[in-house]
Amino acid sequence: MRIGELARRAGVSTRTLRYYESRGLLPTRREVNGYRVYDDGDLRLVEQIRTLQDFGFGLEETRPFVECLRAGHPTGDSCPASLDVYRGKLAELDTLIDELRAVRHEVGAQLARAESDLPDPPDPLCQMKG
Amino acid sequence: MRIGELARRAGVSTRTLRYYESRGLLPTRREVNGYRVYDDGDLRLVEQIRTLQDFGFGLEETRPFVECLRAGHPTGDSCPASLDVYRGKLAELDTLIDELRAVRHEVGAQLARAESDLPDPPDPLCQMKG
DNA sequence: CCTTGCGTTGACGTCGGCGTCAAGGTCTAG
DNA sequence: CTAGACCTTGACGCCGACGTCAACGCAAGG
């Protein structure tokens, strides 16, 4: 399989695949003419990367998973290093969510205060008259 | 007051102030020699911008607040446009928080599954022997 | 021979909010 | 006169994950 087919099957662009390769996440096997050649294992690598990316992982954070798969393990998270990344991400998410909730609370309070200072323009069809 | 003093009092860099000006958020009054000149009202503008930025608002989102202040209103959120930004941000935060919680749930599940498949290396001082 | 559809590398563009020079002008104190 | 502390504009750098374009090679069909 060449880069175009892998791209189609993985649902990414060829540019993305070349970028992953430049980051050392994909192997660099070539045909005689210089074309990149891939197999189903490489498809799994890309799928693993995409899954994690969709979760908001940075590319570097996917590296342990990729290396785990390339080492022959059944899944990308069959290795301790991957689990550490999971744990780190959980902590990061917890922190972030807490911060966002605090901000949400703040903004909500500001909105409430501002709304009470400046009551919104009354409905013209249902205006209070006295 | 000139740019350096405003920067100190607002706790930002002069670069930041010039950037705000380039975005049309700060006025462009000058002394005879070309130096920028500011007053306390401008300090309030910068403080308003910083407050919102700390909440995660983009610069463009601070514009209604800034214009509201510059229009002479007592606070940046004394205008309907500002309230709309508040409301939009609240919706955005709610969506984002929900997404992050979903991701957190997913990642947590993956970690649990992977940990059960690959129990962590037992404590070397308390290793099971039989 | 020519087109079509693949592939290749290299390099610049994107987005936000500035940081960080570079090269110069202005004003004040000594 | 000079040092220094301030100011000016302009322009490139940064981060991440690519998009997009240029200019070219390779292979097959008509």
Side-chain angles (χ1 to χ4, degrees):
Chain A
M1 160 173 44
R2 302 199 287 213
I3 198 170
E5 187 180 346
L6 177 58
R8 271 190 305 277
R9 291 174 62 180
V12 302
S13 70
T14 59
R15 176 72 180 90
T16 295
L17 295 178
R18 278 188 273 259
Y19 179 64
Y20 291 170
E21 179 189 310
S22 79
R23 303 283 94 193
L25 293 171
L26 289 181
T28 55
R29 279 166 291 143
R30 302 294 182 115
E31 291 177 14
V32 226
N33 55 16
Y35 287 11
R36 290 171 177 83
V37 57
Y38 301 101
D39 57 23
D40 287 352
D42 298 325
L43 174 57
R44 297 192 59 209
L45 295 185
V46 180
E47 287 168 346
Q48 173 73 81
I49 296 173
R50 288 275 85 185
T51 299
L52 295 174
Q53 290 259 88
D54 290 346
F55 283 164
F57 286 59
L59 260 192
E60 276 312 311
E61 291 175 322
T62 73
R63 193 178 297 278
F65 296 80
V66 171
E67 288 179 352
C68 190
L69 274 175
R70 294 180 71 176
H73 294 279
T75 67
D77 53 15
S78 302
C79 304
S82 305
L83 300 189
D84 284 345
V85 175
Y86 274 156
R87 296 189 189 101
K89 185 56 68 175
L90 280 180
E92 195 181 312
L93 283 167
D94 287 341
T95 301
L96 182 56
I97 290 171
D98 283 351
E99 286 172 359
L100 289 178
R101 293 208 297 194
V103 167
R104 203 234 107 96
H105 187 73
E106 257 330 287
V107 174
Q110 289 296 311
L111 175 59
R113 186 195 44 68
E115 274 179 335
S116 71
D117 289 358
L118 174 73
D120 47 36
D123 186 335
L125 290 179
C126 187
Q127 207 160 4
M128 288 184 62
K129 292 188 177 175
Chain B
M1 151 175 50
R2 303 200 287 215
I3 199 171
E5 187 181 346
L6 177 59
R8 273 190 303 277
R9 291 175 61 180
V12 302
S13 69
T14 59
R15 176 73 180 91
T16 295
L17 295 179
R18 278 188 273 260
Y19 179 65
Y20 290 171
E21 178 189 311
S22 79
R23 303 283 95 194
L25 295 170
L26 290 181
T28 54
R29 280 167 291 145
R30 302 295 181 115
E31 291 176 13
V32 229
N33 55 16
Y35 287 11
R36 290 172 178 82
V37 57
Y38 301 101
D39 58 22
D40 287 351
D42 298 325
L43 174 57
R44 297 192 59 209
L45 295 184
V46 180
E47 287 169 346
Q48 173 72 84
I49 296 172
R50 289 274 88 188
T51 299
L52 295 174
Q53 289 258 89
D54 290 346
F55 283 165
F57 286 59
L59 260 192
E60 276 311 311
E61 291 175 322
T62 72
R63 192 177 298 278
F65 295 81
V66 170
E67 288 178 352
C68 190
L69 275 175
R70 294 179 71 175
H73 294 278
T75 67
D77 53 16
S78 303
C79 304
S82 304
L83 300 189
D84 284 345
V85 175
Y86 275 156
R87 296 190 188 100
K89 184 57 67 176
L90 280 180
E92 196 181 311
L93 283 167
D94 287 342
T95 301
L96 183 55
I97 290 171
D98 283 351
E99 286 172 0
L100 288 178
R101 293 207 296 195
V103 167
R104 204 234 107 96
H105 187 74
E106 245 347 273
V107 174
Q110 289 296 312
L111 175 60
R113 187 197 42 68
E115 274 178 335
S116 71
D117 288 359
L118 175 72
D120 48 38
D123 185 334
L125 291 179
C126 186
Q127 205 160 7
M128 289 182 61
K129 291 188 178 175

